[in-house]
Amino acid sequence: MPPRDVPGLLLINLGTPQAPRVPEVRRYLREFLSDWRVLDVPQPLRWLILHFAILPLRPKWSAQAYAKVWTKEGSPLLVHGRELARKVQQRLGGSATVELAMRYGSPSIADAMRSFLQQGVRRIVVFPLYPQHSSAATGSSLEAVFTAASHLWNVPRLQIVPPFYDDPRYVACLAEAAEPILREVDSERVFFSFHGLPERQIRKSDPTGSHCLARSDCCERAPDARPEVLSECYRAQCFATARLLAEKLGVPSERRVVCFQSRLGRTPWIRPFTDHEVRSAAARGVKRAVVVVPSFVADCLETLEEIGIRAVDDWRAHGGETLRLVPSLNARDSWVDALLGIARDASSWLSSSPP
């Protein structure tokens, strides 16, 4: 097939097992936690942790959790991702070719790259769907893209969409999703819950070695940090997103809680922890609250089960009444528009695409 004079747009999310069963979950966790950017310890230690501490027990627990949120169409993350890709392709028409890929599991990044090649696409705009930058998600996904591209005989040209944690269009989409729920609940507290990371990964991402986690309020002071610090610090970017979203929603500082979920293992993770903050607020007498999950653009195990089920149960068990999860952006029409705007700003290849 001769090369087509249209670009490709590669949308990347983290991944999901193929089914909510122990073998499929074990396979997914093995791939995920074998990544040196995710479990960033020396390889022999990583192998021991994975095969003796995680894989013997966690797949069973995770499979049960996945089963609670699995749909008739499959994994929520994959279902929403496919619908998003479909809508983006519909908006672009024949001016670009859209592929969805998962960093772990299927459809893989390598499969997407081969699909582009088979369609004659030689220019690819890579859009990691992680608003805030981390080496464990953004860095790992880009490494996989570069590796897959390097294995092709005709190496495609690549343009990368940068993190969009402070993009007004993304923040406006979050506010659009959250505002009706905040109004309906009449919330006394708003939890801005982001995926957690080990503290060591935050420190490793600070090129100066002098800012990240050097003081308790370092991320609140992120606007005063040098640009090279903010550009790489996941936690600071999370605080920036939360601040912009809270301001957009009119949530005063005394009603905001920025927190981090989904920690694994005993190593120190960035604080404060979402589960601790939820229990503490409910125990102190807060009755109505809302949780926004700005680091997830698609609903998945971490939003639907960890927050929508477990956090809600914790909230009620500690005296709270109403805790509502704001759905992720998924395939909202406004998010499709915002995504295309962000991608076009990052790539001249998409600038001539029709609205």
Side-chain angles (χ1 to χ4, degrees), residues 23-347:
E24 287 86 350
V25 173
R26 180 180 289 111
R27 187 180 310 120
Y28 170 74
L29 290 176
R30 181 182 292 112
E31 181 184 7
F32 174 45
L33 295 173
S34 293
D35 189 335
W36 72 277
R37 291 182 183 270
V38 174
L39 195 52
D40 58 322
V41 296
Q43 195 279 330
L45 179 58
R46 183 165 61 249
W47 189 92
L48 288 172
I49 292 173
L50 182 59
H51 289 86
F52 289 93
I54 297 175
L55 291 182
L57 298 175
R58 192 168 182 86
K60 181 179 179 180
W61 178 89
S62 294
Q64 293 171 346
Y66 273 109
K68 295 177 183 178
V69 301
W70 213 261
T71 71
K72 292 181 179 179
E73 295 79 20
S75 165
L77 181 71
L78 188 55
V79 170
H80 293 308
R82 285 172 170 160
E83 178 64 8
L84 177 67
R86 185 192 69 79
K87 285 188 173 183
V88 172
Q89 182 68 80
Q90 187 177 54
R91 297 286 179 87
L92 288 171
S95 66
T97 298
V98 180
E99 293 281 350
L100 172 71
M102 298 290 160
R103 172 59 185 92
Y104 312 103
S106 179
S108 71
I109 289 173
D111 288 342
M113 298 294 280
R114 285 191 290 268
S115 178
F116 280 133
L117 182 67
Q118 291 166 2
Q119 296 175 76
V121 174
R122 297 295 182 265
R123 297 175 295 150
I124 302 172
V125 180
V126 181
F127 198 142
L129 294 173
Y130 319 117
Q132 300 82 23
H133 169 86
S134 71
S135 182
T138 315
S140 178
S141 295
L142 293 179
E143 180 181 3
V145 168
F146 299 146
T147 299
S150 72
H151 289 167
L152 299 174
W153 182 258
N154 295 317
V155 178
R157 295 165 61 192
L158 302 174
Q159 288 186 341
I160 311 299
V161 178
F164 49 96
Y165 66 95
D166 59 350
D167 190 284
R169 293 160 293 195
Y170 154 72
V171 174
C173 288
L174 293 173
E176 178 188 80
E179 195 277 333
I181 296 178
L182 265 66
R183 187 174 61 248
E184 179 183 341
V185 171
D186 188 22
S187 61
E188 303 167 75
R189 194 77 80 247
V190 179
F191 298 97
F192 299 89
S193 183
F194 298 83
H195 200 290
L197 284 177
E199 289 183 357
R200 66 174 181 273
Q201 293 191 10
I202 300 297
R203 291 191 174 93
K204 286 166 66 173
S205 295
D206 179 3
T208 70
S210 62
H211 183 82
C212 287
L213 301 182
R215 50 186 295 169
S216 60
D217 65 345
C218 60
C219 291
E220 290 91 331
R221 294 170 55 85
D224 302 326
R226 291 194 293 274
E228 65 270 22
V229 173
L230 187 56
S231 69
E232 302 295 339
C233 182
Y234 172 80
R235 190 172 185 270
Q237 291 180 9
C238 292
F239 271 84
T241 299
R243 182 178 64 254
L244 292 168
L245 178 55
E247 292 171 355
K248 185 80 172 176
L249 290 168
V251 179
S253 58
E254 64 270 16
R255 289 170 50 204
R256 310 173 193 170
V257 179
V258 180
C259 45
F260 300 89
Q261 62 180 91
S262 310
R263 63 191 183 277
L264 174 66
R266 298 180 180 179
T267 188
W269 282 57
I270 53 178
R271 295 173 179 266
F273 299 144
T274 299
D275 54 348
H276 291 185
E277 293 298 316
V278 164
R279 293 169 193 153
S280 175
R284 292 197 308 270
V286 179
K287 298 301 182 183
R288 302 179 307 279
V290 167
V291 184
V292 189
V293 284
S295 58
F296 304 92
V297 299
D299 278 316
C300 55
L301 183 72
E302 288 82 359
T303 66
L304 299 173
E305 193 275 336
E306 186 174 356
I307 302 298
I309 297 176
R310 276 191 284 149
V312 169
D313 289 345
D314 275 354
W315 180 257
R316 292 171 180 165
H318 287 77
E321 295 176 356
T322 301
L323 182 70
R324 285 278 299 277
L325 168 67
V326 175
S328 297
L329 299 179
N330 295 323
R332 299 174 69 96
D333 289 340
S334 58
W335 171 227
V336 174
D337 292 337
L339 184 155
L340 284 170
I342 294 167
R344 286 169 178 153
D345 286 353
S347 172

